[in-house]
Amino acid sequence: MGAAHSASEEVRELEGKTGFSSDQIEQLHRRFKQLSGDQPTIRNLRKGSSGLADEINFEDFLTIMSYFRPIDTTMDEEQVQLCRKEKLRFLFHMYDSDSDGRITLEEYRNVVEELLSGNPHIEKESARSIADGAMMEAASVCVGQMEPDQVYEGITFDDFLKLSHHPWSSWARVAEEQESWALELVVWHWVWWPECPLGPWPG
Amino acid sequence: MSGRWVQGPRWGLLLALLLALGELPRARGVEEEPGGAHGETQGFQVVTFKWHHVQDPYIIALWILVASLAKIGFHLSHKVTSVVPESALLIVLGLVLGGIVLAADHIASFSLTPTVFFFYLLPPIVLDAGYFMPNRLFFGNLGTILLYAVIGTVWNAATTGLSLYGVFLSGLMGDLNIGLLDFLLFGSLIAAVDPVAVLAVFEEVHVNEVLFIIVFGESLLNDAVTVVLYNVFESFVTLGGDKVTGVDCVKGVVSFFVVSLGGTLVGIVFAFLLSLVTRFTKHVRIIEPGFVFVLSYLSYLTSEMLSLSAILAITFCGICCQKYVKANISEQSATTVRYTMKMLASGAETIIFMFLGISAVDPLIWKWNTAFVLLTLLFISVYRAIGVILQTWILNRYRMVQLEIIDQVVMSYGGLRGAVAYALVVLLDENKVKEKNLFVSTTIIVIFFTVIFQGLTIKPLVQWLKVKRSEQRDPKLNEKLHGRAFDHILSAIEDISGQIGHNYLRDKWSNFDRKFLSKILMRRSAQKSRDRILNVFHELNLKDAISYVAEGERRGSLAFIRSPSTDNMVNVDFSTPRPSTVEASVSYLLRENVSAVRLDMQSLEQRRQSIRDAEDMITHHTLQQYLYKPRQEYKHLYSRHGLTADEDEKQDTEIFHRTMRKRLESFKSAKLGINPHKKAAKLLKRERAQKRRNSSIPNGKLPMVSSLQDFTIKEKDLELSDTEEAPNYDAEMSGGIEFLANIAQDTATDSPSGIDNPAFSPEESPGILSGVPPWLCPGEAVVPSQRARLQIPNSPGNFHRLAPFRLSGKSVDSFLLADGPEEQPHAAPPESTHM
């Protein structure tokens, strides 16, 4: 009884932090246990990748998941903006692998290479030149005309925001669309098919 | 404006009279036919007038001409077409023409027969819709579309039919010979939103994509429902109301699934066939576009034959094949397909609306019943709105992008009825449906009302409600990259969180597609180059090239390029003068068509010729260097089976390489925290890899003219010395060998005759990097200064032969490769092999 009570306390706390409903938290917890094999934490599956957390517990897991929650329709404009910015910051950190506050060309290239690695015919060099092109585009959007000796070191978060709000690139729209698709069917799916077989978890 | 209106009817009148004349004999022509021969006893006649011989095709051609001319007429005044939708104008024109013929002839001239409509006019429109369907958007909203298409249409049909029946029972319509089933039949044919009308009106309104795809998708997919409802109720009417059993109703429901899924399946099968066929059309490029049309038309006919939903079949044929077909066929064929399809669709649409107008002018079909007509109009509008609101309410609980009130208003208002309803109502059998004429005239009124009145008012409505518009925008590399990244992240998150959503499914699908479908359905070269990111990259590069020339034109001439004061040829950097500043130039016109990434070299050439002689040489040089000179002047060979010498491909290749260099060069300021030596070393490595390639494919060079031969040798020497200088690069050379392997393999499997996507070649990066930008070779002076390159003497006679020589005196350049194959157009140029 007492344990159940404290568990629901915990759930409520998590609810407040992440904005998930208690049902959703319960579902995610089930999934979390499934993934971790009933351990309290999930170990980092990639070996030797430095700078990343070794393991995450359920709260971290929820926090990460909460970035992919759709934007609440009841929020006012300001909150929506803030929320969107947080989401973008999360994405920014996914690019910025050494978390020094800028996406350098090297980091960008890694991302692009990974993105294109699905197509075995595309060579690394092409991926690189695409990353170079994209970086140039970013530079031209963020800095405008550059002096010949000026060096563009990387995309900062501000630049990142600028990119997403620049009239040329409506990937703010893309971002919106994407994030709004993310958890679209969660409830639906869990209601109707709670034990669905999932693809093998990488490992 | 008014003058035009006077003019329009004037020639219209002439033609109409001509047509009426043609019509007269034809109306009684059947019995006259044998009599036509009795004049032939007079011996040989030099000239005979054989109107009957050509009558039918002649009249058809004339009608098409009238409709097309009318279109020209409408667009003479921008004011009219910006307010009134073309479809409405065409209907009015049809009414006028029909009226003239009627007045002159006292019989109705033509009417839109269901056979003509369903067999010849509808398929091109629907195919066009399917082939250019934005797939991602369509499948992203498929659930919504299906709900509106299926439930919405059933709802509309049922409520309209039942309400009309209710009013009929109340006696408001007077004495009509109609039963409940007739009303339901009428409701089912009037319920469906019409793809032709929706396309015609919405294309001019430019609402946002989601809204458009929902309305348009609904209009396409509701065909199955309409067909089934129509057939079911028609058979019920035939049976008679009291003999309809529950079993029949169940059969009706089953037949819905059979018709819709079957139609879709037929479409998918034909799409598979079509993709497979285009994979092997390498040597018959000229008939390549034909396959697209013939096979998709066959899918339509096949499902019609099997009494499945033909519209669904051809729609899904287009949707499913587009990816593979576009990848397989050559760029020219793709353009041909695009334009032909657009032309056919637009022509069919024009004819449909005009004939709708003409068909209405027939005193025989009109039977007026005020209450019936007005109530029909009222009911279809009201029930559409109610249906939309109810369904949206349900949908919004599951949709993330909510459909707002404004969207719902536009969706309700955009429920236009059109020619499908008309064709269906004309198909009714007068013996079974006693009040056919009433139905026909009501349908015509409904169509005219929705197309003309709603079509007229929807634009102001959209503006007034401030509906989100779609914006035309250029693709951005960052956008595509981030979009791709999001896709992956989201599908991963869906996987982790344990749900099956769009992203998860899409990821699975794209894996499946890449692993199996693409391997079967795409030619190998296309498999490599098909990647949206690469496409965007390519497009941007082409644009840079265009804006480069545009910049030159803006400055008055291309002379600025050689101007010694500017020293480097890269003085036009692409970061500053974005294309939007040079609107007046040719390239602006070219750029307007974003999807068509093709340069019309001809127009460029014409423009160029206006530049005076003094500059001509330099211009020549410049074009040679940056845009690749078109050499079509001395190409007068005619061949029915092949388009000789694919200049465009080479141009594309060439431009690509130019601009790649440009991009890299203008990138100079961004050294981006990389050790420059490292980068230089990499560049050297690439360069070497390429050289090795050059030298080891001798047959790529053999047929060259002698002036190039000694250069080739020189180049080899150069390369040898280079390798000796830097033996420590040997390890890296293995990359070059891999390249060789690739090339050998590739040249064996595919000829260069098709550019599927110039954006990619395995060698693209060496091609780009081969001209090492000066700043990347610190102080070693490997590359002569730009000016030095330019000042190498040349003689105008063999100017373009010399160009590569001159330019690559020291460093190996990609022109040589691109230039070389031109002497032997059917060998595989290593650079462009997989463009």
Side-chain angles (χ1 to χ4, degrees), chain A residues 87-121:
Chain A
K87 283 168 193 254
L88 285 174
R89 192 183 292 281
F90 181 81
L91 284 170
F92 179 79
H93 284 306
M94 297 195 85
Y95 287 80
D96 181 21
S97 55
D98 60 359
S99 51
D100 64 344
R102 33 178 104 241
I103 303 167
T104 59
L105 180 64
E106 203 59 13
E107 283 164 350
Y108 209 161
R109 281 182 174 175
N110 287 337
V111 170
V112 174
E113 268 167 35
E114 271 181 43
L115 282 181
L116 295 177
S117 61
N119 186 341
H121 303 297

Short mmCIF file of all heavy atoms in Angstrom, two decimals, chain A residues 87-121:
data_model
loop_
_atom_site.label_atom_id
_atom_site.label_comp_id
_atom_site.label_asym_id
_atom_site.label_seq_id
_atom_site.Cartn_x
_atom_site.Cartn_y
_atom_site.Cartn_z
N LYS A 87 13.20 22.13 -28.04
CA LYS A 87 13.31 20.99 -28.94
C LYS A 87 14.48 21.17 -29.90
O LYS A 87 15.25 20.24 -30.16
CB LYS A 87 12.02 20.81 -29.74
CG LYS A 87 10.90 20.17 -28.94
CD LYS A 87 9.60 20.28 -29.67
CE LYS A 87 8.44 19.95 -28.75
NZ LYS A 87 7.87 18.64 -29.02
N LEU A 88 14.58 22.39 -30.40
CA LEU A 88 15.68 22.65 -31.33
C LEU A 88 17.02 22.52 -30.61
O LEU A 88 18.00 22.03 -31.18
CB LEU A 88 15.54 24.04 -31.94
CG LEU A 88 14.47 24.16 -33.01
CD1 LEU A 88 14.30 25.60 -33.45
CD2 LEU A 88 14.82 23.30 -34.22
N ARG A 89 17.04 22.92 -29.35
CA ARG A 89 18.30 22.81 -28.62
C ARG A 89 18.69 21.34 -28.46
O ARG A 89 19.85 20.96 -28.60
CB ARG A 89 18.18 23.48 -27.25
CG ARG A 89 19.54 23.65 -26.55
CD ARG A 89 19.37 24.23 -25.18
NE ARG A 89 18.92 25.62 -25.19
CZ ARG A 89 19.71 26.67 -25.42
NH1 ARG A 89 20.98 26.49 -25.67
NH2 ARG A 89 19.23 27.88 -25.41
N PHE A 90 17.69 20.54 -28.22
CA PHE A 90 17.95 19.11 -28.10
C PHE A 90 18.55 18.57 -29.40
O PHE A 90 19.56 17.85 -29.39
CB PHE A 90 16.63 18.39 -27.80
CG PHE A 90 16.76 16.91 -27.63
CD1 PHE A 90 17.21 16.37 -26.44
CD2 PHE A 90 16.45 16.06 -28.68
CE1 PHE A 90 17.33 15.01 -26.29
CE2 PHE A 90 16.58 14.70 -28.53
CZ PHE A 90 17.02 14.17 -27.34
N LEU A 91 17.96 18.99 -30.50
CA LEU A 91 18.47 18.53 -31.79
C LEU A 91 19.87 19.05 -32.03
O LEU A 91 20.74 18.35 -32.54
CB LEU A 91 17.55 19.01 -32.91
CG LEU A 91 16.25 18.24 -33.02
CD1 LEU A 91 15.31 18.93 -33.99
CD2 LEU A 91 16.54 16.83 -33.49
N PHE A 92 20.06 20.29 -31.64
CA PHE A 92 21.37 20.89 -31.81
C PHE A 92 22.43 20.06 -31.10
O PHE A 92 23.50 19.80 -31.62
CB PHE A 92 21.33 22.32 -31.26
CG PHE A 92 22.64 23.04 -31.37
CD1 PHE A 92 23.04 23.59 -32.57
CD2 PHE A 92 23.47 23.16 -30.26
CE1 PHE A 92 24.24 24.25 -32.68
CE2 PHE A 92 24.68 23.82 -30.37
CZ PHE A 92 25.06 24.37 -31.58
N HIS A 93 22.08 19.61 -29.92
CA HIS A 93 23.05 18.80 -29.18
C HIS A 93 23.32 17.47 -29.84
O HIS A 93 24.37 16.87 -29.64
CB HIS A 93 22.58 18.60 -27.74
CG HIS A 93 22.77 19.82 -26.90
ND1 HIS A 93 23.98 20.45 -26.79
CD2 HIS A 93 21.90 20.54 -26.16
CE1 HIS A 93 23.85 21.51 -26.02
NE2 HIS A 93 22.60 21.60 -25.62
N MET A 94 22.37 17.00 -30.59
CA MET A 94 22.62 15.74 -31.29
C MET A 94 23.67 15.92 -32.37
O MET A 94 24.42 15.01 -32.68
CB MET A 94 21.33 15.20 -31.90
CG MET A 94 20.31 14.87 -30.85
SD MET A 94 18.98 13.87 -31.46
CE MET A 94 19.68 12.25 -31.31
N TYR A 95 23.72 17.11 -32.95
CA TYR A 95 24.75 17.37 -33.94
C TYR A 95 26.08 17.68 -33.29
O TYR A 95 27.13 17.28 -33.74
CB TYR A 95 24.36 18.56 -34.81
CG TYR A 95 23.27 18.32 -35.79
CD1 TYR A 95 21.94 18.32 -35.41
CD2 TYR A 95 23.56 18.10 -37.13
CE1 TYR A 95 20.93 18.10 -36.33
CE2 TYR A 95 22.57 17.88 -38.06
CZ TYR A 95 21.25 17.88 -37.65
OH TYR A 95 20.26 17.67 -38.55
N ASP A 96 25.97 18.44 -32.22
CA ASP A 96 27.17 18.97 -31.59
C ASP A 96 27.76 17.89 -30.69
O ASP A 96 27.55 17.88 -29.49
CB ASP A 96 26.77 20.22 -30.79
CG ASP A 96 27.97 20.84 -30.12
OD1 ASP A 96 29.09 20.58 -30.59
OD2 ASP A 96 27.78 21.59 -29.16
N SER A 97 28.55 17.02 -31.28
CA SER A 97 28.93 15.82 -30.51
C SER A 97 29.91 16.12 -29.39
O SER A 97 29.92 15.42 -28.39
CB SER A 97 29.48 14.76 -31.46
OG SER A 97 30.55 15.29 -32.20
N ASP A 98 30.75 17.15 -29.53
CA ASP A 98 31.64 17.44 -28.41
C ASP A 98 31.06 18.51 -27.49
O ASP A 98 31.75 19.01 -26.61
CB ASP A 98 33.03 17.82 -28.90
CG ASP A 98 33.01 19.04 -29.78
OD1 ASP A 98 31.90 19.57 -30.01
OD2 ASP A 98 34.08 19.48 -30.23
N SER A 99 29.85 18.87 -27.72
CA SER A 99 29.11 19.85 -26.93
C SER A 99 29.94 21.07 -26.54
O SER A 99 30.04 21.43 -25.38
CB SER A 99 28.48 19.20 -25.68
OG SER A 99 29.43 18.47 -24.96
N ASP A 100 30.56 21.66 -27.53
CA ASP A 100 31.28 22.90 -27.27
C ASP A 100 30.48 24.10 -27.76
O ASP A 100 30.98 25.21 -27.86
CB ASP A 100 32.66 22.88 -27.94
CG ASP A 100 32.55 22.81 -29.45
OD1 ASP A 100 31.44 22.49 -29.94
OD2 ASP A 100 33.54 23.08 -30.13
N GLY A 101 29.21 23.86 -28.07
CA GLY A 101 28.37 24.99 -28.43
C GLY A 101 28.40 25.34 -29.90
O GLY A 101 27.73 26.26 -30.33
N ARG A 102 29.18 24.64 -30.68
CA ARG A 102 29.06 24.86 -32.12
C ARG A 102 29.18 23.55 -32.90
O ARG A 102 29.88 22.63 -32.49
CB ARG A 102 30.04 25.90 -32.67
CG ARG A 102 31.36 26.01 -32.03
CD ARG A 102 32.24 27.04 -32.70
NE ARG A 102 32.35 28.28 -31.96
CZ ARG A 102 31.97 29.45 -32.43
NH1 ARG A 102 31.42 29.53 -33.62
NH2 ARG A 102 32.12 30.54 -31.71
N ILE A 103 28.50 23.54 -34.00
CA ILE A 103 28.61 22.39 -34.89
C ILE A 103 29.72 22.73 -35.87
O ILE A 103 29.57 23.61 -36.72
CB ILE A 103 27.30 22.15 -35.66
CG1 ILE A 103 26.15 21.96 -34.69
CG2 ILE A 103 27.43 20.96 -36.56
CD1 ILE A 103 24.79 22.02 -35.36
N THR A 104 30.83 22.08 -35.71
CA THR A 104 31.93 22.37 -36.63
C THR A 104 31.75 21.56 -37.91
O THR A 104 30.92 20.66 -37.98
CB THR A 104 33.27 22.00 -36.00
OG1 THR A 104 33.24 20.62 -35.68
CG2 THR A 104 33.51 22.81 -34.75
N LEU A 105 32.56 21.90 -38.87
CA LEU A 105 32.45 21.21 -40.16
C LEU A 105 32.66 19.72 -39.97
O LEU A 105 31.97 18.89 -40.55
CB LEU A 105 33.47 21.76 -41.14
CG LEU A 105 33.43 21.11 -42.52
CD1 LEU A 105 32.12 21.38 -43.21
CD2 LEU A 105 34.57 21.58 -43.38
N GLU A 106 33.62 19.43 -39.10
CA GLU A 106 33.94 18.02 -38.88
C GLU A 106 32.71 17.28 -38.33
O GLU A 106 32.35 16.20 -38.80
CB GLU A 106 35.10 17.95 -37.89
CG GLU A 106 35.91 16.70 -37.95
CD GLU A 106 36.53 16.43 -39.33
OE1 GLU A 106 36.54 17.33 -40.21
OE2 GLU A 106 36.96 15.30 -39.52
N GLU A 107 32.07 17.93 -37.39
CA GLU A 107 30.88 17.31 -36.81
C GLU A 107 29.76 17.17 -37.84
O GLU A 107 29.07 16.15 -37.91
CB GLU A 107 30.38 18.13 -35.62
CG GLU A 107 31.21 17.94 -34.38
CD GLU A 107 30.97 19.02 -33.34
OE1 GLU A 107 30.31 20.04 -33.64
OE2 GLU A 107 31.47 18.86 -32.22
N TYR A 108 29.64 18.21 -38.62
CA TYR A 108 28.59 18.19 -39.63
C TYR A 108 28.85 17.08 -40.63
O TYR A 108 27.95 16.36 -41.06
CB TYR A 108 28.53 19.55 -40.34
CG TYR A 108 27.16 19.92 -40.85
CD1 TYR A 108 26.84 21.23 -41.14
CD2 TYR A 108 26.19 18.95 -41.03
CE1 TYR A 108 25.60 21.58 -41.61
CE2 TYR A 108 24.94 19.28 -41.49
CZ TYR A 108 24.65 20.60 -41.78
OH TYR A 108 23.41 20.94 -42.24
N ARG A 109 30.11 16.95 -40.99
CA ARG A 109 30.46 15.91 -41.94
C ARG A 109 30.13 14.53 -41.40
O ARG A 109 29.64 13.67 -42.12
CB ARG A 109 31.95 15.98 -42.25
CG ARG A 109 32.29 17.06 -43.23
CD ARG A 109 33.77 17.02 -43.50
NE ARG A 109 34.13 17.95 -44.53
CZ ARG A 109 35.38 18.18 -44.90
NH1 ARG A 109 36.37 17.54 -44.27
NH2 ARG A 109 35.66 19.02 -45.85
N ASN A 110 30.42 14.36 -40.12
CA ASN A 110 30.09 13.06 -39.53
C ASN A 110 28.61 12.77 -39.64
O ASN A 110 28.20 11.67 -39.98
CB ASN A 110 30.51 13.04 -38.05
CG ASN A 110 32.01 12.95 -37.92
OD1 ASN A 110 32.68 12.50 -38.84
ND2 ASN A 110 32.52 13.42 -36.80
N VAL A 111 27.84 13.82 -39.33
CA VAL A 111 26.39 13.62 -39.39
C VAL A 111 25.96 13.25 -40.79
O VAL A 111 25.22 12.28 -41.01
CB VAL A 111 25.66 14.91 -38.92
CG1 VAL A 111 24.17 14.78 -39.20
CG2 VAL A 111 25.92 15.16 -37.46
N VAL A 112 26.46 14.02 -41.75
CA VAL A 112 26.03 13.77 -43.13
C VAL A 112 26.48 12.40 -43.60
O VAL A 112 25.73 11.67 -44.25
CB VAL A 112 26.58 14.86 -44.06
CG1 VAL A 112 26.27 14.52 -45.50
CG2 VAL A 112 26.00 16.20 -43.70
N GLU A 113 27.69 12.04 -43.21
CA GLU A 113 28.17 10.72 -43.61
C GLU A 113 27.26 9.63 -43.05
O GLU A 113 26.94 8.66 -43.73
CB GLU A 113 29.60 10.50 -43.10
CG GLU A 113 30.64 10.90 -44.12
CD GLU A 113 32.00 10.97 -43.50
OE1 GLU A 113 32.29 10.15 -42.61
OE2 GLU A 113 32.78 11.86 -43.91
N GLU A 114 26.89 9.82 -41.81
CA GLU A 114 26.01 8.80 -41.24
C GLU A 114 24.65 8.78 -41.90
O GLU A 114 24.07 7.73 -42.13
CB GLU A 114 25.85 9.04 -39.73
CG GLU A 114 26.93 8.33 -38.94
CD GLU A 114 26.74 8.55 -37.46
OE1 GLU A 114 25.60 8.46 -37.00
OE2 GLU A 114 27.75 8.82 -36.79
N LEU A 115 24.20 9.99 -42.24
CA LEU A 115 22.89 10.05 -42.88
C LEU A 115 22.91 9.34 -44.22
O LEU A 115 21.95 8.69 -44.60
CB LEU A 115 22.49 11.51 -43.12
CG LEU A 115 21.98 12.28 -41.92
CD1 LEU A 115 21.63 13.68 -42.35
CD2 LEU A 115 20.78 11.59 -41.35
N LEU A 116 23.99 9.49 -44.93
CA LEU A 116 24.05 8.92 -46.27
C LEU A 116 24.61 7.51 -46.27
O LEU A 116 24.71 6.88 -47.31
CB LEU A 116 24.91 9.81 -47.18
CG LEU A 116 24.33 11.19 -47.43
CD1 LEU A 116 25.27 12.00 -48.27
CD2 LEU A 116 22.99 11.10 -48.10
N SER A 117 24.96 7.02 -45.10
CA SER A 117 25.60 5.71 -45.09
C SER A 117 24.63 4.60 -45.48
O SER A 117 25.05 3.50 -45.81
CB SER A 117 26.17 5.42 -43.70
OG SER A 117 25.12 5.41 -42.76
N GLY A 118 23.34 4.93 -45.46
CA GLY A 118 22.37 3.93 -45.86
C GLY A 118 22.51 3.54 -47.32
O GLY A 118 22.19 2.45 -47.71
N ASN A 119 22.97 4.47 -48.12
CA ASN A 119 23.15 4.20 -49.53
C ASN A 119 24.59 3.78 -49.77
O ASN A 119 25.50 4.61 -49.70
CB ASN A 119 22.82 5.46 -50.32
CG ASN A 119 22.83 5.21 -51.80
OD1 ASN A 119 23.40 4.21 -52.26
ND2 ASN A 119 22.21 6.08 -52.55
N PRO A 120 24.81 2.52 -50.05
CA PRO A 120 26.18 2.04 -50.13
C PRO A 120 26.93 2.63 -51.32
O PRO A 120 28.15 2.56 -51.37
CB PRO A 120 26.01 0.53 -50.31
CG PRO A 120 24.65 0.35 -50.86
CD PRO A 120 23.82 1.47 -50.32
N HIS A 121 26.19 3.25 -52.25
CA HIS A 121 26.87 3.75 -53.44
C HIS A 121 27.46 5.13 -53.24
O HIS A 121 28.23 5.60 -54.05
CB HIS A 121 25.89 3.78 -54.61
CG HIS A 121 25.28 2.46 -54.90
ND1 HIS A 121 26.02 1.39 -55.30
CD2 HIS A 121 24.00 2.02 -54.81
CE1 HIS A 121 25.22 0.34 -55.45
NE2 HIS A 121 23.99 0.71 -55.15
#
